Amino acid sequence: MTQKITAAITAIDAYLPPDKLTNFDLEKMVDTTDEWIRSRTGVIERRILKTPGLASSDMAAEAVKNLLEKKNIDPLSIEVVICATVTPDMVFPATANILSDKAGLKNAWGFDLSAACSGFLFGLQTGAALIESGRYKKVLVVGVDKMSSIIDYTDRNTCIIFGDGCGVVLLEPNYEGLGIIDCILKSDGAGRKHLHQKAGGSLKPASIETVTNKEHFVYQEGQPVFKAAVKGMADVSYEIMQRNHLTSDDVQWLVPHQANLRIIDATRERMGLPEEKVMVNIQRYGNTTAATIPLCMFDYESQLHKGDNIILASFGGGYTWGAIWVKWAY
Ligand code: UT7
C-alpha cells in the first residue's frame, strides 16, 4: 500500500523593512489620531520599504535567503516558488521569477498568485497539492506585499491600516499525517466593487488621467468590506472546525489575517477560543496583505509544538476568503 503524503510546513522565515510609520507620523499626514487608529483597527505602527529601487522581490529574496541559511538548505534544491502578491515588481515577468534570480533558486519554476489578503492561503493550498501529488519535494510559498507602493497617503480611510513585509514557508512531504489537513477556500468577484485598484490593468491602462485621478491607489469602502470580512472569516473558520469535529479545546492556535483587530475578535469568538490562542501582531506591522499569516507564524514559531492544530483564516480583496487546518510538523 502506498503511504499517504501530506504537505508539511518545515521552515518559516520573514523579512520586514526597517523603517517604521507610526500612528503619530500619520497624525501629521492626514486628519486622524493615534487613539482613533488604535481603537478602530489595533494598529500602532507599520513597516515601510523606503529605499528607492527596492520592490516586493527584494523583501521576498531576503526572507527566502534567511530561511535557506537558517535551515542550511541548498538553494538549488528548491523546485517550485509560489509568490502571492498584489504588488508585483512589474506586470511581467512574475515576481516569483525575479525573486528566484535574486535568491539563487536556479532550478525552480514558479509563478505569482493574485488573491489579495487570501493570497498566502491560496498559495499554501496550491503548494500542498503539488507536494501531495508526489511530484515535488521542496516548494516555497511566499506572501509578500509592498502596500506602500499602492497606498494614497492623503486618504485616511486606507493609509492607516496597510504596511509592507514578507513571510515565506517551505513545504515538504510528510508521512506522519502532519501538515495541511483540510482547506476551505472561497471567492466572490461581486465583492470587487468595494475593494480594488481602478487603473493599471487591461481595463484601464495607465494614462495621465488615471494618475491625476489617483486611480493607481487602493480603493476601499471600509464598512462593506468590514461587514463581509467579519462574516466570511468567522463562518469559514467555524465550518472547518465543525466538519473536522474540532472543538475549541482541540485547537491550539488561530492565525488570522491581520486587517483589523475587531475582525480578528469576531472570528475568535465564533470559534469559542480564548484570546491567548490567537496570533496577533497587527499592532506592529498593520495589514501587509499576503504577508500577514506567515509573518504571524514566524513571530510565534517558538511557541508552536509538533502536532498542534492551527487554523489559518483570511478575508480580503476579490472577495477571497478561506480557512486551512494545519497540524504543525516540528
Ligand atoms: O485586508 C483587506 C480587507 N480589508 C479589511 O478587512 C478592512 C475592513 N474595514 C475596516 O477595517 C474598517 O472599515 C476601517 C478601519 C477601514 C474603517 O473603520 P470603521 O470603523 O469602519 O470607520 P468608518 O469608515 O465607519 O468611519 C467612522 C467615522 C467616520 O466619521 P463620521 O462619519 O462618523 O463622522 C469617518 O469619517 O470615522 C471617520 N474616519 C476616521 N477618523 C479618524 C474614517 N477614517 C478615519 C481616520 N481617522 N483614519
Side-chain angles (χ1 to χ4, degrees), residues 22 40 84 90 92 96 102 123 133 161 172 176 178 188 192 196-197 202 210 224 230-231 246 277 279 286 294:
T22 68
R40 294 291 182 118
M90 44 184 77
F92 75 91
K102 289 179 176 172
S133 75
I161 50 177
E172 293 185 280
E176 300 174 87
L178 300 170
D188 177 5
R192 71 189 181 279
H196 58 265
Q197 186 179 327
S202 59
T210 62
V230 164
K231 180 164 173 15
L246 292 170
K277 285 190 172 184
M279 296 190 190

Side-chain angles (χ1 to χ4, degrees), residues 146-159:
K146 183 183 170 184
M147 293 307 291
S148 61
S149 65
I150 55 167
I151 292 298
D152 175 3
Y153 285 96
T154 65
D155 174 12
R156 69 176 185 173
N157 293 302
T158 51
C159 73

Side-chain angles (χ1 to χ4, degrees), residues 42-46 258 261 280-286 300:
V43 187
I44 297 176
E45 61 185 34
R46 353 63 211 111
Q258 311 279 304
L261 201 49
V280 176
N281 60 13
I282 191 172
Q283 68 281 7
R284 284 185 288 140
Y285 308 139
Y300 284 78

Side-chain angles (χ1 to χ4, degrees), residues 30-33 36-37 40-41 117 156-157 160-162 195 220-223 225-226 229 257 259-260 262-263 287 315-317:
V30 290
D31 181 13
T32 193
T33 59
W36 192 96
I37 303 172
R40 294 291 182 118
T41 71
C117 303
R156 69 176 185 173
N157 293 302
I160 50 137
I161 50 177
F162 291 101
L195 182 51
Q220 175 172 268
E221 294 162 12
Q223 279 190 10
V225 178
F226 183 89
H257 171 53
N260 188 314
R262 291 181 290 149
I263 300 172
N287 181 351
F315 188 94

Side-chain angles (χ1 to χ4, degrees), residues 254-303:
L254 164 66
V255 191
H257 171 53
Q258 311 279 304
N260 188 314
L261 201 49
R262 291 181 290 149
I263 300 172
I264 294 173
D265 277 341
T267 303
R268 175 183 66 75
E269 275 171 25
R270 186 79 188 284
M271 295 168 76
L273 296 179
E275 277 181 14
E276 58 271 19
K277 285 190 172 184
V278 185
M279 296 190 190
V280 176
N281 60 13
I282 191 172
Q283 68 281 7
R284 284 185 288 140
Y285 308 139
N287 181 351
T288 53
T289 304
T292 60
I293 290 174
L295 280 177
C296 263
M297 290 193 290
F298 177 68
D299 274 359
Y300 284 78
E301 187 186 16
S302 64
Q303 296 181 53

Side-chain angles (χ1 to χ4, degrees), residues 178-196:
L178 300 170
I180 284 94
I181 306 298
D182 193 19
C183 172
I184 303 173
L185 299 177
K186 308 238 180 198
S187 76
D188 177 5
R192 71 189 181 279
K193 65 176 180 284
H194 302 300
L195 182 51
H196 58 265

